[in-house]
Each structure stands twice: as structure tokens, then as C-alpha cells.
Amino acid sequence: MSTDASKSAGVAAYYDKAAGIVPEFTVLNYGFSSESEPSAVPDDNPERYCLRLYEHTVRNSNLTGADVLEVSCGRGGGASYLFATHRPARYVGLDLSEENVRIANERQSGPEFMLGNAQALDFPDASFDIVINIEASHLYDDRKAFFAEVLRVLKPGGHFCYTDGCWANDDCTQDLLDAGFELKQRLEITDNVIQALQRDSDRREALFDSMAADDLRDEYKDWGGVVGYRAYRRFADRETLYFSHLLVKP
């Protein structure tokens, strides 16, 4: 088995396992908090900061009546929220994890959820008006191949709404330009992500502390962005940064 295949299989297996260990999460990202950006997410929604990252990512794109693809949709909570609030004509959520797709299909309504590989999208050229990708591309074997696939499946003039964290010395923006996109906006939102993690930390830690697999609690707190643990420290120490991009296919 090739190294790339092993990595992809490992990522899928990790998320399949996490779906059984912490099934309570329906949105899998570190979140976004801002005092200046408006939000329609109710304050009492337990995953409001995670959903606010979805709002931020698509804020300058019109999803209403559009054909939308979300690559690496996770458990579908963000897709379901955007479908309900923006009413696209079609919303396809694609993920590499069988368990994520199963949970999405069981819990969510509106979008279509299916298995798929971000680096080999099984759709014809120019199929979608908008492609969304949130906090996932750092796990791919070949980010450049993914960007090329997004460009291919977008219609001319279509939007690529893209957010992710990356190592401080790894600027993906040039890869996006090299792929052929026009850059409309790029923002560093690391502080917004840190603030969201701080405000959401108690909820996350309580869910991890309730896990039956107590030997995995620290690992999942590292993974889940709990304050003081690995993912959070990397943002706080600026070892990793977080960016949002709005890109257009010419």
C-alpha cells in the first residue's frame, strides 16, 4: 500500500472511530467568534461557534438557489444549517468517513450526503456554483490535487469558500493562485478561532470527560481544541495559523 493511500485510510479510520466514541458532535471544527460580524445562529445552540465558522466562510457568497458542494462535510451539521438558512437548490455533502456520512444521513435533512475523495471528485466538469471546504485540507494527501478538482467542478464565475488552519510557514494561498483561482479575499482569523475555542472549551471538555474510553480523553482533548491542550496551544503560540479565503473560478 502506498504512503498516500495509508494516510487517507488512516484519516478515514480515525473519524470512523471518533464517530462512535464522541457521537454528540454534529459539526467538527474549531469555531469562529467575532463581535463585529453578524450572526443568525441562536445563542443557545450548543454548537454555535462551529456554525459561526460556516457563516463566516460563506458570508460573501449567495447560496440561495445555487448548486453547492461541501467537500469533507463531517457529520453534516454545518451543511444542514446552511441548507436551512440559505435554501440552495442543491447541497451535496461529501466525506471520506463512512461513519460521518452515516451519521449525517441519519440526523440531518435537506442536503445529500455521500462518500467521496476530495482529490478525485466524482462529478462532471462545471457542476457547482459554490464549493465549500472547512478545516479539512490539511489532512489531505495532495492539497494541490484537491484545488485542481475544485476548479474543475466549479462553473465559470463560481465561488470557492475555503477555510483552514496551517503551519505558520505553510502559506497555501500561492497554491490556490497556481491552480487558477482569482483571489477575492484572504483573512487571517486565528484570533477569532482562539476566542471561539476559549468560549467553547467547557462544552468540549465535558463531552470528552463523559467518554467511556477514559484512556483516550487526553488524546481527544488534544484533537478537539480544549484550552491548554495541543491544538489550542499551537494556535496560541502561533505555530499554526488560520485563514479564510474567497476565491473565484475565472
Side-chain angles (χ1 to χ4, degrees):
M1 183 179 291
S2 71
T3 301
D4 284 353
S6 297
K7 181 178 178 181
S8 296
V11 169
Y14 191 91
Y15 280 86
D16 284 344
K17 181 179 179 180
I21 293 175
V22 279
E24 296 86 356
F25 294 96
T26 67
V27 192
L28 301 173
N29 66 54
Y30 291 137
F32 176 87
S33 180
S34 172
E35 309 306 326
S36 59
E37 280 193 26
S39 174
V41 182
D43 288 342
D44 61 354
N45 187 311
E47 296 183 300
R48 61 188 178 278
Y49 295 110
C50 299
L51 293 174
R52 289 206 64 187
L53 185 59
Y54 272 81
E55 284 185 322
H56 171 80
T57 301
V58 305
R59 70 198 181 284
N60 292 319
S61 298
N62 184 10
L63 276 64
T64 304
D67 293 319
V68 179
L69 170 66
E70 182 184 350
V71 182
S72 299
C73 65
R75 299 174 188 175
S80 182
Y81 175 76
L82 291 183
F83 186 87
T85 54
H86 291 270
R87 309 309 301 180
R90 182 189 185 200
Y91 195 119
V92 178
L94 178 145
D95 202 87
L96 189 64
S97 162
E98 291 187 21
E99 286 300 296
N100 278 350
V101 173
R102 178 187 63 79
I103 289 174
N105 278 313
E106 287 181 357
R107 297 185 189 177
Q108 311 299 337
S109 60
E112 310 164 38
F113 296 105
M114 62 183 65
L115 279 173
N117 188 324
Q119 296 146 138
L121 299 173
D122 192 17
F123 301 103
D125 296 354
S127 295
F128 295 97
D129 301 294
I130 296 170
V131 175
I132 300 167
N133 185 249
I134 295 178
E135 200 174 298
S137 66
H138 64 282
L139 296 172
Y140 298 164
D141 298 319
D142 188 344
R143 188 173 64 192
K144 292 181 180 180
F146 165 60
F147 293 158
E149 280 291 270
V150 173
L151 191 76
R152 181 183 66 78
V153 302
L154 272 174
K155 299 174 185 178
H159 284 194
F160 181 26
C161 305
Y162 171 64
T163 60
D164 204 1
C166 60
W167 295 110
N169 62 354
D170 177 26
D171 182 355
C172 68
T173 304
Q174 189 58 52
D175 287 347
L176 289 159
L177 297 174
D178 290 345
F181 290 103
E182 293 179 358
L183 178 63
K184 295 300 183 182
Q185 188 174 52
R186 174 184 185 267
L187 294 175
E188 187 195 332
I189 58 170
T190 310
D191 287 340
N192 304 91
V193 174
I194 290 172
Q195 186 177 81
L197 288 174
Q198 290 170 344
R199 294 179 172 182
D200 200 24
S201 187
D202 288 347
R203 176 188 74 96
R204 292 169 183 256
E205 187 163 25
L207 287 172
F208 296 133
D209 281 339
S210 70
M211 289 166 35
D214 56 0
D215 58 319
L216 295 177
R217 287 173 184 167
D218 283 349
E219 175 188 331
Y220 275 69
K221 289 177 186 180
D222 282 339
W223 170 68
V226 172
V227 169
Y229 285 80
R230 182 183 61 213
Y232 176 85
R233 291 197 311 268
R234 285 175 173 169
F235 285 124
D237 294 341
R238 293 303 195 270
E239 294 178 18
T240 54
L241 302 175
Y242 210 111
F243 293 92
S244 65
H245 294 78
L246 174 62
L247 304 121
V248 175
K249 177 177 179 175

